[in-house]
PDB file of all heavy atoms in Angstrom:
ATOM      1  N   LEU S1548      42.078 103.479  10.956  1.00 94.00           N
ATOM      2  CA  LEU S1548      43.215 103.595  11.818  1.00 94.00           C
ATOM      3  C   LEU S1548      43.730 105.030  12.019  1.00 94.00           C
ATOM      4  O   LEU S1548      44.475 105.398  12.847  1.00 94.00           O
ATOM      5  CB  LEU S1548      44.424 102.829  11.308  1.00 94.00           C
ATOM      6  CG  LEU S1548      44.216 101.285  11.448  1.00 94.00           C
ATOM      7  CD1 LEU S1548      45.376 100.506  10.819  1.00 94.00           C
ATOM      8  CD2 LEU S1548      44.144 100.788  12.950  1.00 94.00           C
ATOM      9  N   THR S1549      43.308 105.990  11.084  1.00 90.00           N
ATOM     10  CA  THR S1549      43.597 107.334  11.254  1.00 90.00           C
ATOM     11  C   THR S1549      42.885 108.111  12.477  1.00 90.00           C
ATOM     12  O   THR S1549      43.157 109.037  12.938  1.00 90.00           O
ATOM     13  CB  THR S1549      43.369 108.188  10.062  1.00 90.00           C
ATOM     14  OG1 THR S1549      42.041 108.158   9.767  1.00 90.00           O
ATOM     15  CG2 THR S1549      44.117 107.538   8.769  1.00 90.00           C
ATOM     16  N   LYS S1550      41.741 107.370  12.863  1.00 90.00           N
ATOM     17  CA  LYS S1550      40.916 107.854  13.812  1.00 90.00           C
ATOM     18  C   LYS S1550      41.055 107.201  15.282  1.00 90.00           C
ATOM     19  O   LYS S1550      40.680 107.814  16.211  1.00 90.00           O
ATOM     20  CB  LYS S1550      39.568 108.074  13.382  1.00 90.00           C
ATOM     21  CG  LYS S1550      39.187 108.917  12.134  1.00 90.00           C
ATOM     22  CD  LYS S1550      37.846 108.904  11.660  1.00 90.00           C
ATOM     23  CE  LYS S1550      37.638 109.797  10.510  1.00 90.00           C
ATOM     24  NZ  LYS S1550      36.202 109.835  10.141  1.00 90.00           N
ATOM     25  N   THR S1551      41.312 105.930  15.146  1.00 91.00           N
ATOM     26  CA  THR S1551      41.280 105.115  16.408  1.00 91.00           C
ATOM     27  C   THR S1551      42.366 104.143  16.393  1.00 91.00           C
ATOM     28  O   THR S1551      42.746 103.610  15.291  1.00 91.00           O
ATOM     29  CB  THR S1551      39.953 104.468  16.587  1.00 91.00           C
ATOM     30  OG1 THR S1551      39.910 103.673  17.781  1.00 91.00           O
ATOM     31  CG2 THR S1551      39.626 103.582  15.363  1.00 91.00           C
ATOM     32  N   ALA S1574      53.155 111.320   9.151  1.00 81.00           N
ATOM     33  CA  ALA S1574      51.933 111.829   9.790  1.00 81.00           C
ATOM     34  C   ALA S1574      52.367 113.008  10.593  1.00 81.00           C
ATOM     35  O   ALA S1574      53.409 113.030  11.316  1.00 81.00           O
ATOM     36  CB  ALA S1574      51.273 110.854  10.719  1.00 81.00           C
ATOM     37  N   GLU S1575      51.570 114.142  10.416  1.00 80.00           N
ATOM     38  CA  GLU S1575      51.847 115.413  11.159  1.00 80.00           C
ATOM     39  C   GLU S1575      51.619 115.270  12.695  1.00 80.00           C
ATOM     40  O   GLU S1575      52.256 115.891  13.534  1.00 80.00           O
ATOM     41  CB  GLU S1575      50.922 116.507  10.628  1.00 80.00           C
ATOM     42  CG  GLU S1575      51.130 116.836   9.241  1.00 80.00           C
ATOM     43  CD  GLU S1575      50.234 117.869   8.719  1.00 80.00           C
ATOM     44  OE1 GLU S1575      49.388 118.475   9.525  1.00 80.00           O
ATOM     45  OE2 GLU S1575      50.348 118.365   7.550  1.00 80.00           O
ATOM     46  N   ASP S1576      50.699 114.290  13.066  1.00 84.00           N
ATOM     47  CA  ASP S1576      50.411 114.052  14.458  1.00 84.00           C
ATOM     48  C   ASP S1576      50.484 112.553  14.644  1.00 84.00           C
ATOM     49  O   ASP S1576      50.018 111.730  13.817  1.00 84.00           O
ATOM     50  CB  ASP S1576      49.001 114.601  14.805  1.00 84.00           C
ATOM     51  CG  ASP S1576      48.697 114.579  16.309  1.00 84.00           C
ATOM     52  OD1 ASP S1576      49.175 113.623  17.002  1.00 84.00           O
ATOM     53  OD2 ASP S1576      48.196 115.493  16.695  1.00 84.00           O
ATOM     54  N   GLU S1577      51.107 112.174  15.804  1.00 84.00           N
ATOM     55  CA  GLU S1577      51.296 110.658  16.067  1.00 84.00           C
ATOM     56  C   GLU S1577      49.946 109.914  16.134  1.00 84.00           C
ATOM     57  O   GLU S1577      50.009 108.764  15.765  1.00 84.00           O
ATOM     58  CB  GLU S1577      52.057 110.547  17.446  1.00 84.00           C
ATOM     59  CG  GLU S1577      52.524 109.155  17.727  1.00 84.00           C
ATOM     60  CD  GLU S1577      53.525 108.558  16.736  1.00 84.00           C
ATOM     61  OE1 GLU S1577      54.180 109.425  16.064  1.00 84.00           O
ATOM     62  OE2 GLU S1577      53.666 107.302  16.630  1.00 84.00           O
ATOM     63  N   LYS S1578      48.977 110.662  16.434  1.00 84.00           N
ATOM     64  CA  LYS S1578      47.653 109.887  16.547  1.00 84.00           C
ATOM     65  C   LYS S1578      47.085 109.496  15.077  1.00 84.00           C
ATOM     66  O   LYS S1578      46.246 108.709  15.046  1.00 84.00           O
ATOM     67  CB  LYS S1578      46.617 110.784  17.223  1.00 84.00           C
ATOM     68  CG  LYS S1578      46.227 111.974  16.573  1.00 84.00           C
ATOM     69  CD  LYS S1578      45.174 112.825  17.342  1.00 84.00           C
ATOM     70  CE  LYS S1578      44.673 114.105  16.603  1.00 84.00           C
ATOM     71  NZ  LYS S1578      43.788 114.822  17.485  1.00 84.00           N
ATOM     72  N   PHE S1579      47.713 110.087  14.159  1.00 88.00           N
ATOM     73  CA  PHE S1579      47.315 109.604  12.759  1.00 88.00           C
ATOM     74  C   PHE S1579      48.208 108.641  12.126  1.00 88.00           C
ATOM     75  O   PHE S1579      48.082 108.254  10.981  1.00 88.00           O
ATOM     76  CB  PHE S1579      47.397 110.852  11.742  1.00 88.00           C
ATOM     77  CG  PHE S1579      46.382 111.957  12.258  1.00 88.00           C
ATOM     78  CD1 PHE S1579      46.806 113.325  12.379  1.00 88.00           C
ATOM     79  CD2 PHE S1579      45.017 111.696  12.542  1.00 88.00           C
ATOM     80  CE1 PHE S1579      45.944 114.330  12.809  1.00 88.00           C
ATOM     81  CE2 PHE S1579      44.055 112.603  12.827  1.00 88.00           C
ATOM     82  CZ  PHE S1579      44.557 113.909  13.092  1.00 88.00           C
ATOM     83  N   ASN S1580      49.285 108.176  12.904  1.00 93.00           N
ATOM     84  CA  ASN S1580      50.226 107.187  12.386  1.00 93.00           C
ATOM     85  C   ASN S1580      49.695 105.802  12.385  1.00 93.00           C
ATOM     86  O   ASN S1580      49.700 105.092  13.485  1.00 93.00           O
ATOM     87  CB  ASN S1580      51.553 107.204  13.184  1.00 93.00           C
ATOM     88  CG  ASN S1580      52.680 106.512  12.585  1.00 93.00           C
ATOM     89  OD1 ASN S1580      52.477 105.509  11.949  1.00 93.00           O
ATOM     90  ND2 ASN S1580      53.892 106.961  12.765  1.00 93.00           N
ATOM     91  N   GLU S1581      49.226 105.396  11.213  1.00 94.00           N
ATOM     92  CA  GLU S1581      48.588 104.131  11.095  1.00 94.00           C
ATOM     93  C   GLU S1581      49.631 102.885  11.316  1.00 94.00           C
ATOM     94  O   GLU S1581      49.254 101.833  11.935  1.00 94.00           O
ATOM     95  CB  GLU S1581      47.916 103.892   9.880  1.00 94.00           C
ATOM     96  CG  GLU S1581      46.700 104.916   9.636  1.00 94.00           C
ATOM     97  CD  GLU S1581      46.158 104.724   8.194  1.00 94.00           C
ATOM     98  OE1 GLU S1581      46.742 105.082   7.295  1.00 94.00           O
ATOM     99  OE2 GLU S1581      45.017 104.173   8.135  1.00 94.00           O
ATOM    100  N   LYS S1584      50.393 102.285  14.871  1.00 93.00           N
ATOM    101  CA  LYS S1584      49.287 101.529  15.558  1.00 93.00           C
ATOM    102  C   LYS S1584      49.271 100.055  15.191  1.00 93.00           C
ATOM    103  O   LYS S1584      48.974  99.158  16.031  1.00 93.00           O
ATOM    104  CB  LYS S1584      47.896 102.142  15.108  1.00 93.00           C
ATOM    105  CG  LYS S1584      47.771 103.536  15.642  1.00 93.00           C
ATOM    106  CD  LYS S1584      46.438 104.228  15.271  1.00 93.00           C
ATOM    107  CE  LYS S1584      46.268 105.591  15.674  1.00 93.00           C
ATOM    108  NZ  LYS S1584      45.096 106.295  15.131  1.00 93.00           N
TER     109      LYS S1584
END
Side-chain angles (χ1 to χ4, degrees):
L1548 289 172
T1549 63
K1550 296 180 179 179
T1551 182
E1575 296 180 1
D1576 192 317
E1577 188 62 24
K1578 67 181 181 181
F1579 299 129
N1580 191 327
E1581 298 176 288
K1584 292 176 182 178

